[in-house]
Amino acid sequence: MSFPFSGEELTGRPRGASQLTLKPTTEIFIFLTFSYCIRVDAQFPNFYFHSFAMIRCCLLLLVLVALNARAQSPFQAQVLDEKVQIGYGLAIGDVDGDKKPDILMADKKQFVWYRNGDWKRFILVENLTTSDNVCIAARDIDGDGKVEIAVGAQWNPGETSDTTKSGSVHYLVRPGDPTTPWLPVELHHEPTIHRMRWIQTGPKQYQLIVLPLHGRGNKDGAGRGVRVFAYERPKDVRQPWKLNLVDSSMHLTHNMELVQEGNRERLYIGGKEGVKIFDFNGKQWTQANPGAYIKDASFGEVRVGKKGGQQLLAGIQPMHGTMLAVYDASLKRQVIAEGFGQGHALAISTLTDKSTMQIVAGWREPDADGKVGIKLFVPAKSYSDWTTYWIDENGMACEDLQVADLNGDGKNDIVAAGRATHNLKIYWNK
């Protein structure tokens, strides 16, 4: 038995799905409810009794369908780790060369990876610096089918001048057995290193973008601009890496996004000034647009999606903010959610509907209802109206999340790490 369904704010299938298939137990309850109504109608043919009975039947049916919708979420959570200390940053990539994407995480004092399949946890390196770890970048940049890994640590955002007390960048040298500890090679760093990504700068060419949060000597997000560097890996990784300055004009640069453009990627940086875009022309990094690409609001998280000739930019505003805003190709802004408690994780992908781009957002502090979690935002075809669904309601104080097809079924799954909830979960897209 199946019934059409178009409700909002449920964990079930998004509005626009053709059917909601009910569980056998729910079908039995519906059958009994209808039987009850028929009995009441036969015993009390009076119009008022009949109307009252039918109203009760309708209310019961609505409750049953709503409860069933929550039970039939298209995402099924699997807890991989319940002892995460912070879970600052996540990455996805094939660590062991078995052609399956693994999960990598920057935790408080350890950088770790989880092997796809049995999801066993292995330590890459630990106790790298006196302060916390903060970020990790993983990507196959040499075409051997296995990721290269760089990490950032010594997280001390209050110290913006002394590089011995704030910031670190290390490249991890792969051992013969990737389940054993990796060898860290120390590289140049600025204070307050916060995020890093491997970016494609040309055919088979990659650089490591390293993004500090503050400029040197900054106080309260003011002062000298953040120096964003791109690192070129030499053949001998123990030799000095060439540094290319990307930009030094922004402040509170909390995150970045990479957008494919032919055989290279563009770099979007979100911060206090808004969003700026940068390209590598083969010799140096240049800003792709005069002034800021978006300058009407500051950004904490920024993600870009493209599909069917349309482009969307999503951002959590401001840094550690409460709002989720989207911008279309004309940069028209639309706020689609408010009230996050420190929004700190964001993704754009096709998850439940292949014809549109959906947004996943997570926050790490309780919102006005006292809840942490992750929500999915599904647009209408025009991207003018959005419907909201819970992915995890109060079970994930989300520090970071990633979207990837982890089991090769053609559906993107969600991976999230929780700070206050101390957990790592996969949300399988069923």
Side-chain angles (χ1 to χ4, degrees):
M1 181 182 293
S2 60
F3 290 86
F5 181 75
S6 61
E8 293 187 12
E9 292 294 336
L10 296 175
T11 320
R13 296 182 184 276
R15 183 170 61 188
S18 59
Q19 291 184 338
L20 181 69
T21 303
L22 300 183
K23 287 185 174 181
T25 51
T26 307
E27 295 181 13
I28 292 171
F29 276 118
I30 291 174
F31 174 77
L32 293 175
T33 303
F34 273 118
S35 300
Y36 167 77
C37 292
I38 292 170
R39 289 181 61 189
V40 170
D41 186 46
Q43 293 179 18
F44 303 99
N46 181 280
F47 172 78
Y48 294 105
F49 279 100
H50 175 79
S51 299
F52 178 69
M54 292 308 297
I55 289 171
R56 290 183 67 182
C57 287
C58 289
L59 290 174
L60 283 170
L61 285 173
L62 286 172
V63 170
L64 288 169
V65 170
L67 289 174
N68 181 80
R70 282 188 174 274
Q72 296 284 57
S73 168
F75 291 95
Q76 180 179 332
Q78 178 183 355
V79 178
L80 299 189
D81 196 336
E82 294 182 296
K83 296 181 179 180
V84 173
Q85 291 187 282
I86 293 178
Y88 274 115
L90 294 171
I92 305 293
D94 188 350
V95 177
D96 53 3
D98 64 354
K99 299 183 180 180
K100 294 187 289 186
D102 305 300
I103 299 171
L104 302 92
M105 182 175 68
D107 205 3
K108 182 179 176 68
K109 302 302 291 185
Q110 295 179 331
F111 291 100
V112 300
W113 69 283
Y114 299 80
R115 184 171 57 197
N116 192 320
D118 60 9
W119 300 112
K120 187 175 180 180
R121 182 180 186 271
F122 301 99
I123 297 173
L124 294 162
V125 65
E126 60 184 333
N127 300 317
L128 192 57
T129 60
T130 55
S131 295
D132 290 357
N133 303 326
V134 67
C135 56
I136 185 167
R139 188 170 186 173
D140 178 12
I141 68 172
D142 59 11
D144 68 350
K146 295 174 283 189
V147 294
E148 281 66 51
I149 302 173
V151 296
Q154 196 75 333
W155 177 234
N156 184 7
E159 176 53 67
T160 61
S161 299
D162 190 342
T163 57
T164 66
K165 297 179 180 178
S166 180
S168 83
V169 176
H170 288 80
Y171 178 80
L172 301 187
V173 177
R174 173 183 293 274
D177 179 358
T179 67
T180 60
W182 295 41
L183 176 67
V185 175
E186 187 173 1
L187 307 179
H188 167 85
H189 72 270
E190 296 291 300
T192 70
I193 297 300
H194 186 251
R195 288 290 180 259
M196 56 175 56
R197 299 277 296 275
W198 293 105
I199 188 170
Q200 185 176 8
T201 56
K204 299 181 181 180
Q205 297 176 356
Y206 295 87
Q207 296 180 25
L208 178 68
I209 303 293
V210 178
L211 187 67
L213 181 62
H214 297 296
R216 290 194 180 221
N218 277 197
K219 292 184 179 180
D220 301 321
R224 295 170 61 186
V226 174
R227 294 209 298 174
V228 183
F229 283 107
Y231 297 56
E232 293 189 31
R233 189 183 74 153
K235 289 185 178 180
D236 182 353
V237 298
R238 295 168 179 82
Q239 295 301 311
W241 291 42
K242 182 182 177 182
L243 300 182
N244 300 307
L245 181 65
V246 177
D247 184 62
S248 61
S249 68
M250 300 181 71
H251 299 81
L252 295 175
T253 47
H254 192 263
N255 218 323
M256 58 182 149
E257 174 69 316
L258 314 182
V259 180
Q260 195 74 43
E261 297 284 349
N263 60 10
R264 63 189 65 211
E265 292 168 329
R266 281 188 142 181
L267 173 63
Y268 288 61
I269 298 179
K272 180 180 178 180
E273 288 80 9
V275 175
K276 294 186 179 182
I277 306 174
F278 303 92
D279 290 319
F280 187 69
N281 63 14
K283 295 182 179 180
Q284 63 183 5
W285 285 89
T286 60
Q287 192 170 333
N289 55 294
Y293 176 65
I294 297 175
K295 54 185 178 182
D296 64 344
S298 63
F299 281 72
E301 309 298 324
V302 58
R303 293 291 179 262
V304 177
K306 290 183 176 183
K307 188 174 183 63
Q310 291 184 299
Q311 176 169 305
L312 282 183
L313 184 147
I316 291 179
Q317 300 174 332
M319 187 179 86
H320 298 168
T322 60
M323 293 184 296
L324 173 59
V326 294
Y327 295 77
D328 61 18
S330 67
L331 301 188
K332 180 181 178 182
R333 180 174 183 258
Q334 179 186 10
V335 176
I336 64 173
E338 296 184 84
F340 293 156
Q342 288 200 14
H344 209 261
L346 190 63
I348 296 182
S349 184
T350 53
L351 290 154
T352 58
D353 181 358
K354 295 288 186 180
S355 66
T356 63
M357 296 173 282
Q358 297 99 57
I359 298 173
V360 184
W363 62 101
R364 64 184 187 182
E365 294 289 336
D367 60 15
D369 296 322
K371 295 179 179 180
V372 295
I374 302 172
K375 284 187 176 181
L376 174 68
F377 300 84
V378 179
K381 301 297 183 188
S382 63
Y383 293 96
S384 58
D385 296 310
W386 296 77
T387 305
T388 307
Y389 306 92
W390 280 102
I391 297 295
D392 194 314
E393 185 175 3
N394 212 33
M396 172 59 64
C398 195
E399 187 74 13
D400 195 17
L401 64 81
Q402 297 285 330
V403 172
D405 181 2
L406 296 176
N407 58 2
D409 66 351
K411 299 178 183 178
N412 283 324
D413 310 295
I414 302 168
V415 182
R419 174 190 284 257
T421 45
H422 301 293
N423 50 3
L424 176 70
K425 293 183 183 181
I426 299 174
Y427 303 90
W428 295 105
N429 192 352
K430 298 298 184 180

